[in-house]
Amino acid sequence: MSAALLEVRDLRTHFHTRAGVLKAVDGVSFTLARGEILGLVGESGSGKSVTGFSLIGLVDPPGRIAGGSIRFDGQELVGLAQPAMRGLRGKRIAMVFQDPAATLNPVLTIGQQMAMAVQAHGGGGERAARELAARSLARVGIPDAVARLDAYPHEFSGGMRQRVAIAIALLHQPELIIADEPTTALDVSIQAQILAEMKALAKESGTALIWISHDLATVSSLADRVMVMYAGRIVERGPVAEVLHAPLHPYTRGLLDSLPALATPGQRLAQIPGSTPSLLSLAPGCPFAPRCARASTACGTDPPQVGDARHGALCHHPLGAGP
Ligand SMILES: Nc1ncnc2c1ncn2[C@@H]1O[C@H](COP(=O)(O)OP(=O)(O)O)[C@@H](O)[C@H]1O
Ligand SMILES: [Mg+2]
């Protein structure tokens, strides 16, 4: 048995704002095996992106990692010096953002930027870099890849631009890709296509993938395991099929019931009442309690871990365990 590729323990990422300390990531722990696809879902503002940025060392002031450990292939990343982190980033760990503009420079051709990305990690001469770039574009389904190297980002459609960003992430065959809502801005048919391709690429190259999305349906068609995030915490985790068919946490149930694709036919779609809490001043206990139909006075204290190591949740009143 090989050790986990990624081991995150009690990660805490805080923003020091004028209004106080905002705990965007509040004690997150998980492991990821090589080649595994892990979905990270939750409503907007739950701390998914900040988790992703923390993993790749891109939390900027006023944010900082306030505690915990991130071990990547045995190496501790919390507190790692920036040059060492830059050496990993883009090479062994890559990130794909929701907006490809975060990756692509509008005034350079795709070929120029991909060559720069190759050379940033010491990859050969210009010709070799162009060949690698063209191969990477072809892998993500960009037709006529060699000719497209000389095009500028604005000459691509939104879907194609995101494919280019994914091709850049794939350049060095990283061991881990963190994809933060990379298809959210795209139309549904292109989303489905890119999802299927990313999954095939990840499985073929043994790349582990953390796929961040607010949409449990998107993640469920892609991931092996899923983690549900709420108020900076992982409130449920487990193999996708188990979480979908037998969720433990009322919040997960709520997410499922609000999905047209997964709802029970004939049943009305239900939105979760209320909205996500401010992470600035959370009351003690379960942060979901104010929105939860199952909540009781017990929920004013920290919820226990229920289920098991494979499929578990943080809840006083998990589903499938009586009222
Ligand atoms: N630069 C920042 N300064 C202050 N607060 C931030 C900053 N970035 C994110 N946050 C806060 O961290 C929390 C989690 O944000 P985020 O990880 O982006 O959520 P998600 O990706 O799940 O929508 C939010 O409350 C957000 O307002
Ligand atoms: Mg986000």
Side-chain angles (χ1 to χ4, degrees):
M1 282 302 292
S2 64
L5 175 66
L6 187 69
E7 247 184 304
V8 178
R9 286 281 161 259
D10 199 26
L11 179 66
R12 293 166 193 276
T13 305
H14 296 172
F15 289 92
H16 294 261
T17 72
R18 215 167 288 161
V21 178
L22 188 150
K23 296 178 177 173
V25 179
D26 192 15
V28 163
S29 301
F30 65 93
T31 60
L32 184 67
R34 287 186 182 276
E36 190 177 21
I37 303 183
L38 176 65
L40 179 59
V41 298
E43 289 164 292
S44 175
S46 52
K48 307 180 302 294
S49 292
V50 175
T51 301
F53 286 130
S54 301
L55 298 178
I56 199 166
L58 286 179
V59 177
D60 291 322
R64 65 179 197 93
I65 295 183
S69 156
I70 301 167
R71 282 190 163 286
F72 174 74
D73 196 19
Q75 183 181 15
E76 178 61 57
L77 302 189
V78 174
L80 190 66
Q82 275 304 322
M85 195 67 223
R86 274 196 296 274
L88 286 176
R89 196 160 53 219
K91 189 173 171 74
R92 297 184 66 193
I93 309 177
M95 190 149 176
V96 181
F97 302 92
Q98 178 172 346
D99 180 1
T103 307
L104 300 178
N105 184 331
V107 302
L108 297 178
T109 66
I110 298 302
Q112 285 167 334
Q113 349 200 358
M114 291 184 87
M116 281 165 60
V118 172
Q119 280 156 354
H121 293 290
E126 198 181 321
R127 238 184 86 193
R130 267 181 82 86
E131 272 168 29
L132 187 60
R135 263 206 310 277
S136 197
L137 287 182
R139 280 177 81 201
V140 297
I142 292 184
D144 215 359
V146 175
R148 297 303 271 160
L149 284 175
D150 297 317
Y152 289 87
H154 74 264
E155 297 176 69
F156 291 79
S157 67
M160 283 297 167
R161 262 200 300 276
Q162 193 55 292
R163 281 170 201 259
V164 172
I166 293 168
I168 291 175
L170 290 168
L171 268 177
H172 296 282
Q173 304 205 289
E175 289 140 273
L176 171 63
I177 296 180
I178 300 162
D180 189 359
E181 312 228 22
T183 62
T184 301
L186 305 176
D187 74 59
V188 176
S189 64
I190 295 177
Q191 271 190 34
Q193 239 176 45
I194 292 186
L195 238 76
E197 288 164 10
M198 283 290 279
K199 180 166 183 161
L201 285 169
K203 291 294 173 192
E204 170 191 305
S205 57
T207 302
L209 189 57
I210 298 178
W211 189 279
I212 296 174
S213 177
H214 64 280
D215 178 359
L216 192 46
T218 302
V219 162
S220 65
S221 65
L222 178 83
D224 304 309
R225 276 191 306 139
V226 63
M227 300 197 297
V228 179
M229 193 162 191
Y230 192 79
R233 305 154 201 197
I234 304 301
V235 297
E236 179 155 5
R237 69 183 72 225
V240 166
E242 284 183 34
V243 172
L244 290 187
H245 297 117
L248 294 168
H249 202 290
Y251 179 59
T252 310
R253 176 80 265 164
L255 289 178
L256 288 168
D257 288 344
S258 63
L259 288 176
L262 297 176
T264 316
Q267 207 166 301
R268 246 173 0 106
L269 291 183
Q271 292 303 316
I272 304 172
S275 54
T276 50
S278 159
L279 303 183
L280 263 175
S281 50
L282 276 179
C286 174
F288 185 60
R291 304 172 70 188
C292 183
R294 297 170 73 85
S296 72
T297 49
C299 304
T301 61
D302 280 346
Q305 184 77 51
V306 295
D308 53 38
R310 248 169 63 80
H311 179 196
L314 284 176
C315 186
H316 283 286
H317 304 295
L319 299 153

